[in-house]
Amino acid sequence: MTTALQSPLPSHPVLRLRLASGSGMPRPIDGAWWPRSCDLLSELPQLLAGLPRAWGHITSVTVNGATWPAVPGRMLVFNQVVRLHRTLAASAPHTIVLLAPGRGRWDLLVVPPDTTEETAEPLMAAAAGGHV
């Protein structure tokens, strides 16, 4: 009698997010996010789930329209509406802006999904360290 080995159940990929330490000082970038695709509808829920609870409920997200091609006006994430905005501002092509009423605004560097790990890791470390 032979026993077939079962492959392990697929797991959710690890969120690739690095946040700056909470120094209380204003900073231009609050960390870095390295999504696995350019599909904002599938990537955003995982990002929002991985944010610190202290950030509160993110109600508004602004992304660059060139980086994220298809963005509806809003989406339901964990039974809460999140408004999505697109900008074509040349000043911040690789950022995402997260807003939580009464809590604050956070700007994250978005490392393009097709970036190699050798390139992405130093970018994320620099963003988390406030050196971007």
Short mmCIF file of all heavy atoms in Angstrom, two decimals, residues 47-91:
data_model
loop_
_atom_site.label_atom_id
_atom_site.label_comp_id
_atom_site.label_asym_id
_atom_site.label_seq_id
_atom_site.Cartn_x
_atom_site.Cartn_y
_atom_site.Cartn_z
N LEU A 47 -3.51 44.85 2.82
CA LEU A 47 -2.76 45.98 3.38
C LEU A 47 -3.50 46.54 4.59
O LEU A 47 -2.91 46.72 5.66
CB LEU A 47 -2.56 47.08 2.34
CG LEU A 47 -1.99 48.40 2.89
CD1 LEU A 47 -0.59 48.20 3.47
CD2 LEU A 47 -2.01 49.46 1.83
N LEU A 48 -4.78 46.83 4.43
CA LEU A 48 -5.54 47.43 5.53
C LEU A 48 -5.60 46.51 6.74
O LEU A 48 -5.56 46.98 7.88
CB LEU A 48 -6.94 47.81 5.05
CG LEU A 48 -7.00 48.87 3.94
CD1 LEU A 48 -8.45 49.19 3.58
CD2 LEU A 48 -6.24 50.12 4.30
N ALA A 49 -5.67 45.22 6.51
CA ALA A 49 -5.71 44.26 7.63
C ALA A 49 -4.39 44.24 8.39
O ALA A 49 -4.37 43.94 9.58
CB ALA A 49 -6.04 42.86 7.11
N GLY A 50 -3.29 44.59 7.72
CA GLY A 50 -1.99 44.53 8.36
C GLY A 50 -1.53 45.81 9.02
O GLY A 50 -0.45 45.85 9.61
N LEU A 51 -2.35 46.85 8.96
CA LEU A 51 -1.97 48.13 9.56
C LEU A 51 -2.15 48.10 11.09
O LEU A 51 -2.99 47.35 11.60
CB LEU A 51 -2.82 49.26 8.98
CG LEU A 51 -2.61 49.53 7.49
CD1 LEU A 51 -3.60 50.59 7.01
CD2 LEU A 51 -1.19 49.94 7.19
N PRO A 52 -1.41 48.91 11.80
CA PRO A 52 -1.57 48.95 13.26
C PRO A 52 -2.99 49.39 13.65
O PRO A 52 -3.57 50.26 13.01
CB PRO A 52 -0.56 50.02 13.70
CG PRO A 52 0.39 50.17 12.57
CD PRO A 52 -0.37 49.83 11.34
N ARG A 53 -3.50 48.80 14.70
CA ARG A 53 -4.85 49.17 15.18
C ARG A 53 -4.92 50.64 15.55
O ARG A 53 -5.96 51.26 15.44
CB ARG A 53 -5.24 48.31 16.37
CG ARG A 53 -5.55 46.89 16.01
CD ARG A 53 -6.13 46.16 17.22
NE ARG A 53 -6.32 44.77 16.93
CZ ARG A 53 -7.47 44.26 16.52
NH1 ARG A 53 -8.50 45.04 16.32
NH2 ARG A 53 -7.58 42.97 16.30
N ALA A 54 -3.81 51.19 16.02
CA ALA A 54 -3.79 52.60 16.43
C ALA A 54 -4.10 53.55 15.28
O ALA A 54 -4.49 54.69 15.52
CB ALA A 54 -2.42 52.95 17.03
N TRP A 55 -3.94 53.09 14.06
CA TRP A 55 -4.25 53.93 12.91
C TRP A 55 -5.75 54.08 12.72
O TRP A 55 -6.19 54.95 11.99
CB TRP A 55 -3.62 53.37 11.64
CG TRP A 55 -2.13 53.55 11.57
CD1 TRP A 55 -1.27 53.81 12.61
CD2 TRP A 55 -1.32 53.49 10.40
NE1 TRP A 55 0.01 53.91 12.15
CE2 TRP A 55 0.02 53.71 10.79
CE3 TRP A 55 -1.59 53.26 9.06
CZ2 TRP A 55 1.07 53.71 9.89
CZ3 TRP A 55 -0.54 53.24 8.16
CH2 TRP A 55 0.77 53.48 8.58
N GLY A 56 -6.53 53.24 13.34
CA GLY A 56 -7.98 53.33 13.22
C GLY A 56 -8.49 52.80 11.89
O GLY A 56 -7.75 52.16 11.14
N HIS A 57 -9.75 53.09 11.61
CA HIS A 57 -10.39 52.62 10.38
C HIS A 57 -10.05 53.55 9.22
O HIS A 57 -10.39 54.73 9.25
CB HIS A 57 -11.92 52.55 10.58
CG HIS A 57 -12.65 52.31 9.31
ND1 HIS A 57 -12.47 51.18 8.55
CD2 HIS A 57 -13.55 53.08 8.65
CE1 HIS A 57 -13.24 51.26 7.47
NE2 HIS A 57 -13.89 52.40 7.52
N ILE A 58 -9.38 53.03 8.24
CA ILE A 58 -9.03 53.80 7.05
C ILE A 58 -10.30 53.93 6.21
O ILE A 58 -10.90 52.94 5.81
CB ILE A 58 -7.92 53.11 6.23
CG1 ILE A 58 -6.66 52.88 7.08
CG2 ILE A 58 -7.62 53.90 4.95
CD1 ILE A 58 -6.00 54.13 7.59
N THR A 59 -10.72 55.17 5.96
CA THR A 59 -11.94 55.41 5.18
C THR A 59 -11.67 55.92 3.78
O THR A 59 -12.56 55.92 2.94
CB THR A 59 -12.85 56.42 5.89
OG1 THR A 59 -12.16 57.66 6.02
CG2 THR A 59 -13.29 55.91 7.25
N SER A 60 -10.43 56.39 3.54
CA SER A 60 -10.12 56.97 2.24
C SER A 60 -8.70 56.59 1.84
O SER A 60 -7.78 56.64 2.65
CB SER A 60 -10.24 58.50 2.32
OG SER A 60 -9.91 59.09 1.09
N VAL A 61 -8.56 56.20 0.58
CA VAL A 61 -7.27 55.79 0.04
C VAL A 61 -7.07 56.52 -1.28
O VAL A 61 -7.95 56.52 -2.13
CB VAL A 61 -7.22 54.26 -0.19
CG1 VAL A 61 -5.94 53.85 -0.89
CG2 VAL A 61 -7.40 53.51 1.12
N THR A 62 -5.92 57.16 -1.43
CA THR A 62 -5.58 57.83 -2.69
C THR A 62 -4.37 57.13 -3.29
O THR A 62 -3.36 56.94 -2.61
CB THR A 62 -5.26 59.32 -2.47
OG1 THR A 62 -6.41 59.94 -1.86
CG2 THR A 62 -4.96 60.02 -3.78
N VAL A 63 -4.51 56.75 -4.56
CA VAL A 63 -3.44 56.07 -5.27
C VAL A 63 -3.13 56.81 -6.57
O VAL A 63 -3.93 57.60 -7.06
CB VAL A 63 -3.81 54.60 -5.59
CG1 VAL A 63 -4.02 53.80 -4.32
CG2 VAL A 63 -5.03 54.53 -6.48
N ASN A 64 -1.98 56.51 -7.13
CA ASN A 64 -1.61 57.10 -8.39
C ASN A 64 -2.28 56.33 -9.52
O ASN A 64 -2.17 55.10 -9.58
CB ASN A 64 -0.09 57.10 -8.57
CG ASN A 64 0.33 57.83 -9.81
OD1 ASN A 64 0.26 57.29 -10.90
ND2 ASN A 64 0.73 59.07 -9.64
N GLY A 65 -2.97 57.05 -10.40
CA GLY A 65 -3.71 56.41 -11.49
C GLY A 65 -2.84 55.69 -12.49
O GLY A 65 -3.28 54.75 -13.15
N ALA A 66 -1.58 56.10 -12.63
CA ALA A 66 -0.68 55.43 -13.56
C ALA A 66 -0.22 54.08 -13.00
O ALA A 66 0.00 53.13 -13.73
CB ALA A 66 0.52 56.31 -13.87
N THR A 67 -0.08 53.99 -11.69
CA THR A 67 0.37 52.76 -11.05
C THR A 67 -0.77 51.76 -10.89
O THR A 67 -0.60 50.57 -11.07
CB THR A 67 0.96 53.07 -9.66
OG1 THR A 67 2.01 54.03 -9.82
CG2 THR A 67 1.51 51.84 -9.00
N TRP A 68 -1.94 52.26 -10.54
CA TRP A 68 -3.11 51.42 -10.29
C TRP A 68 -4.16 51.76 -11.35
O TRP A 68 -4.94 52.68 -11.17
CB TRP A 68 -3.67 51.67 -8.90
CG TRP A 68 -2.66 51.45 -7.82
CD1 TRP A 68 -1.90 52.40 -7.20
CD2 TRP A 68 -2.28 50.21 -7.24
NE1 TRP A 68 -1.09 51.82 -6.28
CE2 TRP A 68 -1.29 50.48 -6.27
CE3 TRP A 68 -2.67 48.89 -7.44
CZ2 TRP A 68 -0.71 49.48 -5.51
CZ3 TRP A 68 -2.09 47.90 -6.68
CH2 TRP A 68 -1.12 48.19 -5.72
N PRO A 69 -4.19 51.05 -12.46
CA PRO A 69 -5.05 51.43 -13.59
C PRO A 69 -6.56 51.38 -13.32
O PRO A 69 -7.25 52.30 -13.68
CB PRO A 69 -4.66 50.46 -14.69
CG PRO A 69 -3.92 49.35 -14.03
CD PRO A 69 -3.40 49.87 -12.73
N ALA A 70 -7.07 50.35 -12.71
CA ALA A 70 -8.51 50.23 -12.51
C ALA A 70 -8.86 50.47 -11.05
O ALA A 70 -8.58 49.64 -10.20
CB ALA A 70 -8.99 48.85 -12.94
N VAL A 71 -9.46 51.61 -10.77
CA VAL A 71 -9.81 51.95 -9.40
C VAL A 71 -11.26 52.42 -9.36
O VAL A 71 -11.59 53.46 -9.93
CB VAL A 71 -8.88 53.05 -8.84
CG1 VAL A 71 -9.29 53.45 -7.45
CG2 VAL A 71 -7.44 52.60 -8.86
N PRO A 72 -12.14 51.67 -8.71
CA PRO A 72 -13.52 52.13 -8.58
C PRO A 72 -13.59 53.28 -7.56
O PRO A 72 -12.61 53.56 -6.88
CB PRO A 72 -14.26 50.90 -8.05
CG PRO A 72 -13.21 50.14 -7.30
CD PRO A 72 -11.92 50.39 -8.04
N GLY A 73 -14.71 53.92 -7.43
CA GLY A 73 -14.85 55.03 -6.50
C GLY A 73 -14.86 54.61 -5.03
O GLY A 73 -14.56 55.40 -4.15
N ARG A 74 -15.20 53.36 -4.79
CA ARG A 74 -15.20 52.85 -3.42
C ARG A 74 -15.25 51.34 -3.46
O ARG A 74 -15.58 50.73 -4.48
CB ARG A 74 -16.38 53.42 -2.63
CG ARG A 74 -17.71 53.01 -3.19
CD ARG A 74 -18.85 53.63 -2.45
NE ARG A 74 -20.07 53.21 -3.12
CZ ARG A 74 -21.21 53.81 -3.02
NH1 ARG A 74 -21.32 54.88 -2.27
NH2 ARG A 74 -22.25 53.36 -3.65
N MET A 75 -14.91 50.75 -2.33
CA MET A 75 -14.99 49.29 -2.22
C MET A 75 -15.31 48.92 -0.78
O MET A 75 -15.08 49.71 0.14
CB MET A 75 -13.69 48.63 -2.69
CG MET A 75 -12.48 48.87 -1.82
SD MET A 75 -10.94 48.14 -2.46
CE MET A 75 -11.17 46.41 -2.11
N LEU A 76 -15.85 47.75 -0.61
CA LEU A 76 -16.19 47.25 0.71
C LEU A 76 -15.03 46.39 1.20
O LEU A 76 -14.62 45.43 0.55
CB LEU A 76 -17.47 46.41 0.62
CG LEU A 76 -18.17 46.09 1.92
CD1 LEU A 76 -18.62 47.36 2.62
CD2 LEU A 76 -19.38 45.20 1.65
N VAL A 77 -14.47 46.77 2.35
CA VAL A 77 -13.36 46.03 2.95
C VAL A 77 -13.74 45.72 4.38
O VAL A 77 -13.95 46.63 5.19
CB VAL A 77 -12.05 46.86 2.91
CG1 VAL A 77 -10.91 46.08 3.55
CG2 VAL A 77 -11.70 47.27 1.49
N PHE A 78 -13.86 44.45 4.70
CA PHE A 78 -14.24 44.01 6.04
C PHE A 78 -15.54 44.69 6.49
O PHE A 78 -15.64 45.22 7.58
CB PHE A 78 -13.11 44.26 7.06
CG PHE A 78 -11.80 43.69 6.61
CD1 PHE A 78 -10.72 44.51 6.36
CD2 PHE A 78 -11.65 42.32 6.43
CE1 PHE A 78 -9.51 43.99 5.95
CE2 PHE A 78 -10.44 41.80 6.00
CZ PHE A 78 -9.38 42.63 5.77
N ASN A 79 -16.53 44.70 5.60
CA ASN A 79 -17.86 45.26 5.85
C ASN A 79 -17.85 46.76 6.12
O ASN A 79 -18.76 47.27 6.77
CB ASN A 79 -18.56 44.52 6.99
CG ASN A 79 -18.90 43.10 6.60
OD1 ASN A 79 -19.28 42.84 5.46
ND2 ASN A 79 -18.76 42.18 7.52
N GLN A 80 -16.84 47.46 5.66
CA GLN A 80 -16.78 48.91 5.80
C GLN A 80 -16.40 49.51 4.45
O GLN A 80 -15.54 48.99 3.75
CB GLN A 80 -15.79 49.32 6.88
CG GLN A 80 -16.21 48.81 8.24
CD GLN A 80 -15.30 49.31 9.35
OE1 GLN A 80 -14.32 50.00 9.13
NE2 GLN A 80 -15.64 48.95 10.57
N VAL A 81 -17.04 50.62 4.12
CA VAL A 81 -16.77 51.27 2.86
C VAL A 81 -15.47 52.07 2.93
O VAL A 81 -15.23 52.80 3.89
CB VAL A 81 -17.94 52.23 2.47
CG1 VAL A 81 -17.60 53.03 1.22
CG2 VAL A 81 -19.23 51.44 2.28
N VAL A 82 -14.63 51.88 1.92
CA VAL A 82 -13.39 52.64 1.78
C VAL A 82 -13.50 53.39 0.45
O VAL A 82 -13.71 52.78 -0.59
CB VAL A 82 -12.15 51.71 1.77
CG1 VAL A 82 -10.88 52.51 1.52
CG2 VAL A 82 -12.07 50.93 3.07
N ARG A 83 -13.37 54.70 0.51
CA ARG A 83 -13.41 55.52 -0.71
C ARG A 83 -12.03 55.51 -1.36
O ARG A 83 -11.02 55.66 -0.69
CB ARG A 83 -13.83 56.94 -0.38
CG ARG A 83 -15.21 56.99 0.21
CD ARG A 83 -15.84 58.37 0.04
NE ARG A 83 -17.15 58.39 0.63
CZ ARG A 83 -18.26 57.92 0.06
NH1 ARG A 83 -18.20 57.40 -1.13
NH2 ARG A 83 -19.42 57.99 0.67
N LEU A 84 -12.05 55.31 -2.67
CA LEU A 84 -10.80 55.26 -3.42
C LEU A 84 -10.72 56.46 -4.35
O LEU A 84 -11.69 56.80 -5.03
CB LEU A 84 -10.75 53.97 -4.24
CG LEU A 84 -10.87 52.67 -3.44
CD1 LEU A 84 -10.92 51.48 -4.37
CD2 LEU A 84 -9.74 52.53 -2.46
N HIS A 85 -9.57 57.08 -4.36
CA HIS A 85 -9.34 58.25 -5.20
C HIS A 85 -8.10 57.99 -6.04
O HIS A 85 -7.14 57.39 -5.58
CB HIS A 85 -9.12 59.50 -4.34
CG HIS A 85 -10.20 59.74 -3.36
ND1 HIS A 85 -11.38 60.35 -3.67
CD2 HIS A 85 -10.29 59.40 -2.04
CE1 HIS A 85 -12.15 60.40 -2.60
NE2 HIS A 85 -11.51 59.83 -1.59
N ARG A 86 -8.13 58.49 -7.27
CA ARG A 86 -6.98 58.40 -8.17
C ARG A 86 -6.42 59.79 -8.38
O ARG A 86 -7.16 60.75 -8.51
CB ARG A 86 -7.39 57.84 -9.53
CG ARG A 86 -7.73 56.39 -9.51
CD ARG A 86 -8.12 55.90 -10.89
NE ARG A 86 -6.93 55.82 -11.74
CZ ARG A 86 -6.97 55.92 -13.05
NH1 ARG A 86 -8.09 56.14 -13.69
NH2 ARG A 86 -5.85 55.82 -13.75
N THR A 87 -5.11 59.86 -8.45
CA THR A 87 -4.46 61.12 -8.79
C THR A 87 -3.42 60.82 -9.86
O THR A 87 -2.91 59.70 -9.94
CB THR A 87 -3.78 61.77 -7.56
OG1 THR A 87 -3.21 63.00 -7.97
CG2 THR A 87 -2.73 60.89 -6.96
N LEU A 88 -3.14 61.79 -10.67
CA LEU A 88 -2.09 61.65 -11.67
C LEU A 88 -0.94 62.59 -11.36
O LEU A 88 -0.15 62.92 -12.22
CB LEU A 88 -2.65 61.91 -13.07
CG LEU A 88 -3.70 60.90 -13.53
CD1 LEU A 88 -4.28 61.28 -14.87
CD2 LEU A 88 -3.11 59.49 -13.59
N ALA A 89 -0.86 63.01 -10.10
CA ALA A 89 0.18 63.94 -9.67
C ALA A 89 1.57 63.35 -9.91
O ALA A 89 1.86 62.24 -9.48
CB ALA A 89 0.02 64.28 -8.20
N ALA A 90 2.39 64.11 -10.59
CA ALA A 90 3.74 63.66 -10.88
C ALA A 90 4.62 63.68 -9.63
O ALA A 90 5.66 63.03 -9.59
CB ALA A 90 4.36 64.53 -11.96
N SER A 91 4.19 64.40 -8.60
CA SER A 91 5.00 64.54 -7.39
C SER A 91 5.06 63.27 -6.55
O SER A 91 5.97 63.11 -5.75
CB SER A 91 4.49 65.69 -6.54
OG SER A 91 3.17 65.42 -6.13
#
